[in-house]
């Protein structure tokens, strides 16, 4: 269960905090401030989804200031006046979800949400919110800021996407290639290709924002006791050759015989991805054209481990995008799962 911190400093504020706690408790675990505001705030910044201050904005600002790191990691912070008239989204409005949470809290207590982020005020798409809702990693926050600025200025922004777009594009965006764009949103597991991007842009130096879907599965086979360094080096080589960002990787997979292989397990732990393993029988049932190895079949009971496991891990509709690559006793293949995005709410 996600955690929410609530701090109140007056009798009216504490009464509102009690009311809000009851409204939030079915969905969240509430941490109420009781003593040592600095320690409470530090704990909330480390472990909670959001902090709610019931009182003056100044108290909230001075309290959170030492703990602010980045809009990509800071929790949402809201401020509510002690009478419960307004709910202010103070920080992490987009990625942290403060804007959306402010609206939800305001609805619960009958207050007015106060949102000040430029994209929301001007009714424009916020690329960081869109990325979060669709599970897309942002390649560069610098590029994200440049894109947000371009959208707010009314620049023509094209969208290139290798997945399915389920709905219509917002009015400020259009499909890449329809006309020349001032800026380009590149949604793909593959890094932006400079020459192709230039075909869509009016100017070579037009901003390109890379949004990365987490859709790539890595199939790995190896000889016994291959080191983490050898595993990583081979995977890095394959990803680089395919032009794929490591942020696109969702899982690694292999045969059940390798479930305790230390090098693969450490690699997955470092990337914070699951390591999926399958029996030889499960891998043999995977349909497709795979590179046959008599040695692998004799050793494991199936003719190919890396390609079959990558495709099986990708799920229904998945496809191989990089066939078997072998290097120093390690084999690697890449597959992608079927995916789509949605610009609507």
């Amino acid at each position: 269960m996600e955690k929410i911190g609530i701090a109140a400093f007056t009798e009216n504020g504490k009464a509102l905090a009690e009311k809000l706690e009851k409204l939030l408790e079915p969905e969240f675990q509430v941490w109420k401030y009781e003593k040592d505001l600095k320690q409470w705030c530090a704990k909330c910044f480390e472990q909670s989804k959001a902090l709610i201050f019931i009182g003056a904005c100044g108290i909230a600002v001075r309290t959170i200031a030492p703990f602010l790191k980045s809009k990509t990691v800071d929790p949402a912070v809201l401020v509510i006046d002690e009478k419960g008239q307004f709910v202010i989204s103070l920080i992490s409005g987009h990625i942290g979800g403060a804007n959306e949470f402010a609206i939800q809290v305001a609805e619960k207590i009958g207050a007015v949400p106060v949102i000040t982020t430029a994209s929301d005020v001007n009714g424009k798409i916020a690329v960081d919110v869109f990325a979060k809702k669709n599970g897309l990693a942002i390649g560069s926050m610098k590029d994200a800021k440049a894109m947000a600025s371009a959208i707010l200025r009314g620049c023509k922004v094209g969208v290139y996407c290798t997945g399915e777009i389920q709905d219509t594009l917002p009015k400020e965006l259009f499909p890449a290639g329809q006309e020349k764009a001032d800026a380009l949103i590149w949604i793909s597991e593959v890094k932006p290709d400079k020459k192709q991007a230039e075909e869509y842009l009016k100017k070579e130096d037009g901003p390109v924002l890379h949004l990365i879907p987490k859709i790539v599965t890595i199939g790995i086979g190896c000889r016994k006791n291959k080191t983490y360094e050898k595993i990583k080096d081979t995977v890095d080589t394959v990803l680089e050759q395919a032009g794929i960002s490591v942020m696109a990787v969702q899982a690694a997979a292999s045969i059940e015989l390798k479930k305790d292989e230390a090098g693969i397990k450490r690699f997955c732990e470092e990337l914070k991805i699951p390591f999926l393993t399958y029996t030889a029988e499960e891998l043999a049932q995977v349909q497709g054209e795979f590179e046959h190895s008599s040695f692998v079949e004799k050793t494991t009971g199936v003719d190919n481990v890396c390609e079959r496991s990558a495709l099986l891990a990708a799920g229904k509709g998945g496809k191989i995008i990089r066939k078997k690559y072998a290097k120093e006793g390690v084999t690697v293949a890449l597959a992608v799962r079927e995916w789509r995005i949605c610009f609507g709410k």
Side-chain angles (χ1 to χ4, degrees):
M1 182 180 290
E2 291 182 308
K3 303 173 180 66
I4 299 291
I6 301 179
F9 311 99
T10 66
E11 290 306 313
N12 286 338
K14 290 176 183 177
L16 179 57
E18 292 286 345
K19 175 183 177 181
L20 191 54
E21 181 180 5
K22 292 177 182 178
L23 291 169
L24 292 173
E25 270 188 339
E27 188 176 355
F28 302 103
Q29 178 185 348
V30 175
W31 285 346
K32 289 171 63 178
Y33 157 66
E34 293 179 353
K35 60 180 181 179
D36 197 333
L37 186 59
K38 183 176 180 180
Q39 186 178 33
W40 170 85
C41 189
K43 180 182 177 183
C44 289
F45 259 72
E46 288 176 1
Q47 302 179 40
S48 71
K49 171 187 172 67
L51 292 78
I52 301 174
F53 289 85
I54 301 177
C57 282
I59 296 175
V61 170
R62 286 192 294 272
T63 303
I64 68 175
F67 306 105
L68 295 173
K69 294 179 182 178
S70 164
K71 66 186 293 183
T72 60
V73 297
D74 292 336
V77 177
L78 308 185
V79 178
I80 307 175
D81 65 283
E82 68 168 38
K83 287 190 175 183
Q85 299 176 101
F86 302 98
V87 180
I88 303 169
S89 170
L90 191 65
I91 66 162
S92 295
H94 288 159
I95 297 177
N99 290 355
E100 186 175 3
F101 191 45
I103 294 170
Q104 293 172 358
V105 170
E107 287 178 352
K108 289 180 182 294
I109 64 174
V112 177
V114 180
I115 311 296
T116 60
T117 41
S119 56
D120 298 275
V121 171
N122 288 280
K124 303 284 188 179
I125 183 173
V127 290
D128 45 3
V129 172
F130 161 73
K132 181 180 178 181
K133 287 183 176 179
N134 284 274
L136 305 172
I138 297 174
S140 162
M141 288 307 299
K142 180 181 178 181
D143 292 337
K145 290 178 181 178
M147 187 60 63
S149 177
I151 291 172
L152 286 172
R153 294 198 312 271
C155 295
K156 292 185 176 181
V157 178
V159 177
Y160 171 86
C161 182
T162 54
E164 178 189 348
I165 298 177
Q166 284 190 299
D167 54 354
T168 57
L169 295 175
K171 60 182 181 301
E172 57 265 38
L173 308 178
F174 62 88
Q178 191 177 79
E179 59 179 296
K180 289 286 187 177
D182 299 305
L184 181 65
I185 298 176
W186 183 282
I187 310 172
S188 174
E189 72 281 8
V190 180
K191 298 173 184 176
D193 177 81
K194 187 176 180 181
K195 287 186 178 179
Q196 187 176 3
E198 287 176 356
E199 292 178 10
Y200 299 133
L201 292 167
K202 293 178 182 178
K203 298 179 180 178
E204 291 183 7
D205 60 350
V208 178
L209 172 62
H210 187 198
L211 299 180
I212 308 157
K214 211 171 184 65
I215 59 169
V216 176
T217 56
I218 304 173
I220 304 175
C222 68
R223 295 185 184 274
K224 191 174 181 180
N225 296 326
K226 277 295 173 181
T227 64
Y228 159 76
E229 288 76 17
K230 293 292 185 185
I231 300 290
K232 183 178 184 304
D233 180 62
T234 306
V235 173
D236 286 349
T237 298
V238 173
L239 290 175
E240 184 177 354
Q241 289 179 351
I244 291 175
S245 167
V246 70
M247 288 189 282
V249 177
Q250 68 169 356
S254 190
I255 193 166
E256 196 172 46
L257 288 171
K258 295 297 174 182
K259 66 181 181 181
D260 296 318
E261 196 70 45
I264 302 178
K265 289 175 69 176
R266 181 183 166 189
F267 171 77
C268 294
E269 288 168 1
E270 293 286 334
L271 278 189
K272 297 180 180 178
I273 58 173
F275 178 35
L276 311 175
T277 58
Y278 305 100
T279 64
E281 291 76 16
E282 287 174 316
L283 293 178
Q285 291 174 13
V286 179
Q287 299 296 308
E289 295 184 7
F290 306 106
E291 185 176 322
H292 178 85
S293 169
S294 299
F295 173 79
V296 171
E297 187 169 22
K298 182 179 179 181
T299 306
T300 68
V302 67
D303 63 348
N304 184 301
V305 169
C306 64
E307 292 177 0
R308 288 179 179 273
S309 61
L311 189 57
L312 185 54
K316 185 179 179 180
K319 61 181 180 180
I320 293 285
I321 57 171
R322 177 62 164 86
K323 294 188 73 65
K324 175 181 171 182
Y325 173 87
K327 182 180 180 182
E328 299 181 16
V330 180
T331 59
V332 171
L334 304 177
V336 293
R337 65 173 172 82
E338 196 173 57
W339 64 287
R340 57 190 58 82
I341 58 169
C342 180
F343 282 88
K345 295 184 179 179

